[in-house]
Amino acid sequence: MGKSKDEALYEEMCRVVGKVVLEMRDLGQEPKHIVIAGVVRTMLANKKIKRSELTQEAMETVIQALGYNA
């Protein structure tokens, strides 16, 4: 049985946030939620990178979930 859309979205959100947190750690930055949201927002703003609809939705949901509305 396949995953539901919600399960797939949640897993993609975790993948996106995990990648950002690990990259921040490698750069010696503390992964605070507002900073993570800002990084994801900046990534999402880069229209040169083609993303799946699921990844796009996951990134938007992460930004909202972390309270970054600016």
Side-chain angles (χ1 to χ4, degrees):
M1 178 178 260
K3 295 178 192 172
S4 72
K5 184 178 184 323
D6 287 344
E7 290 171 322
L9 178 61
Y10 179 78
E11 286 182 12
E12 186 65 7
M13 289 170 61
C14 290
R15 187 193 68 77
V16 167
V17 171
K19 181 178 180 187
V20 170
V21 168
L22 292 174
E23 288 178 8
M24 290 176 70
R25 182 204 60 197
D26 289 348
L27 295 172
Q29 298 177 354
E30 186 175 341
K32 296 181 180 180
H33 76 278
I34 197 71
V35 177
I36 294 168
V39 170
V40 174
R41 184 172 180 259
T42 300
M43 290 167 50
L44 189 58
N46 183 352
K47 300 300 180 188
K48 293 179 184 176
I49 298 174
K50 296 290 183 192
R51 295 181 179 88
S52 71
E53 187 177 318
L54 178 63
T55 298
Q56 176 109 5
E57 184 178 357
M59 293 172 83
E60 292 168 355
T61 305
V62 163
I63 293 165
Q64 292 172 355
L66 293 177
Y68 193 95
N69 299 317

